[in-house]
Amino acid sequence: MRSIFNYKHLHYFWMVAHEGSIARASEKLHITPQTISGQLSQLESHIGSRLFDKAGRGLQLTETGRLVLRYADDIFELGQELNDVLRGAPSVGASEFIVGAASALPKTIVYKIIKPALNLPQDIALTSREGPMDAMLADLAVHKVDMVLSDTPINSAFSVKAYNHQLGESTLSCFAAPRLAKKYGRNFPESLNNAPMILPTGQYAVRQLLDGWFQQQDIHPVVCGQFDDSALMKSFGQAGMGVFFMSSTIEEEICKNFNVRVIGKIEEVKQKYYAISAERKVKHPAVAAICDSARSSLFGH
């Protein structure tokens, strides 16, 4: 029977895999590249297979390397959790909770999803980031964020080890400034044909859902603007640039805050919401609180 792993060697491998080169790992670990290279050779000898191949000036994982990395990620994540517990981290100050959100998600929805995490018995120090989905997932992969909120589930197109936790779904409502609401509010949804419209850009799932619905309903909108940012889209909608769509869950807040009216609701289109984490089984208390509350209250029936 083979002897047990030398976990120092495994840790050096783990650092090199995440940093992309021995040189960068040596800077983080404050040891010489020669030492790391020697330890990796011993680990490869113990395993009986190469873990890296050269790729230009850097390294890329072999199939065996990718397998070992998946286990190493779990091992060192669990080790960090143990370290935090032994240090009594929750009792000496607020626990940091970093959330990434796709730009197209309405800020009010993001707030409502995250809010239950702030009601936990332990103090939570929240950091919220937003940006394109691929950037948020890249941060998740290197543990710069604890959770990513999106209306698009992660799939095999993203080379990130992460898991979808569906929070719920909502129908879409159509909003317009008072002048446009008066004109396009009657005979909905046929009234939307040739109506001025502002929409999310095509990279977001909700836009693809809307395009499919337009086709089914034989509606040909006049697209006056496309936006990555939901707040900016609502501001242009408030100014009367065109009708726009948002989750029915936040109808009341949108009408009140932007002085717009609901001119119709699309029952056939459901926008889904996901919390994406590096954990298959949610262990982070803030992520667990978010998932439980969203399913039972925010999107619950």
Side-chain angles (χ1 to χ4, degrees):
M1 185 176 70
R2 280 184 177 172
S3 60
I4 194 167
F5 270 118
N6 183 315
Y7 285 95
K8 181 178 287 187
H9 297 172
L10 188 64
H11 185 246
Y12 291 165
F13 157 78
W14 183 67
M15 289 295 294
V16 172
H18 281 289
E19 294 299 322
S21 74
I22 290 175
R24 285 198 292 271
S26 72
E27 292 175 4
K28 288 285 184 72
L29 294 168
H30 305 291
I31 56 178
T32 66
Q34 292 80 5
T35 299
I36 294 179
S37 182
Q39 304 284 3
L40 283 178
S41 294
Q42 291 183 46
L43 180 60
E44 288 178 330
S45 177
H46 177 87
I47 291 172
S49 179
R50 292 187 59 79
L51 298 172
F52 294 102
D53 288 325
K54 288 187 177 180
R57 295 184 177 180
L59 297 171
Q60 67 179 14
L61 290 163
T62 63
E63 286 296 326
T64 301
R66 283 191 284 272
L67 174 64
V68 174
L69 181 60
R70 287 200 295 271
Y71 282 93
D73 280 338
D74 290 339
I75 288 168
F76 292 114
E77 179 185 353
L78 189 60
Q80 185 59 53
E81 288 180 15
L82 175 60
N83 186 56
D84 290 342
V85 170
L86 294 177
R87 287 191 298 107
S91 65
V92 298
S95 298
E96 188 176 35
F97 180 49
I98 306 175
V99 180
S103 304
L105 291 185
K107 306 303 180 284
T108 306
I109 284 281
V110 173
Y111 165 72
K112 286 176 173 284
I113 290 174
I114 293 175
K115 185 181 177 182
L118 305 180
N119 297 328
L120 292 171
Q122 63 266 46
D123 291 334
I124 298 290
L126 173 67
T127 299
S128 179
R129 299 174 179 168
E130 70 170 20
M133 183 67 167
D134 55 353
M136 293 296 98
L137 290 175
D139 283 347
L140 181 69
V142 294
H143 309 292
K144 288 184 178 179
V145 300
D146 297 302
M147 177 186 75
V148 173
L149 297 176
S150 176
D151 64 347
T152 306
I154 189 171
N155 55 45
S156 58
F158 297 96
S159 56
V160 175
K161 181 188 175 186
Y163 303 95
N164 298 308
H165 310 284
Q166 186 171 335
L167 302 177
E169 60 184 27
S170 170
T171 57
L172 293 179
S173 294
C174 184
F175 299 86
R179 177 179 60 83
L180 292 181
K182 186 175 181 180
K183 183 175 181 179
Y184 297 104
R186 296 178 181 177
N187 198 30
F188 182 91
E190 289 83 358
S191 59
L192 296 181
N193 194 41
N194 296 318
M197 226 171 260
I198 51 179
L199 299 168
T201 57
Q203 66 177 308
Y204 294 107
V206 66
R207 172 61 184 275
Q208 296 160 28
L209 292 171
L210 283 169
D211 285 346
W213 183 76
F214 293 149
Q215 187 173 12
Q216 290 171 4
Q217 300 294 323
D218 197 26
I219 291 171
H220 304 279
V222 177
V223 180
C224 299
Q226 301 181 71
F227 298 87
D228 279 337
D229 186 276
S230 64
L232 191 58
M233 184 165 63
K234 284 182 286 191
S235 294
F236 276 95
Q238 180 183 25
M241 184 179 184
V243 301
F244 63 98
F245 301 85
M246 289 282 162
S247 169
S248 302
T249 305
I250 53 174
E251 271 186 5
E252 185 177 340
E253 292 90 340
I254 292 175
C255 291
K256 179 180 178 181
N257 296 335
F258 291 88
N259 190 30
V260 293
R261 299 174 185 171
V262 176
I263 64 173
K265 188 176 293 187
I266 307 175
E267 298 289 349
E268 302 93 329
V269 175
K270 299 290 195 301
Q271 185 174 16
K272 294 179 170 63
Y273 297 91
Y274 300 88
I276 302 172
S277 77
E279 305 168 323
R280 184 191 300 273
K281 183 178 180 181
V282 173
K283 298 188 286 288
H284 196 297
V287 178
I290 283 170
C291 291
D292 291 344
S293 180
R295 291 163 182 165
S296 63
S297 300
L298 182 58
F299 301 110
H301 299 287

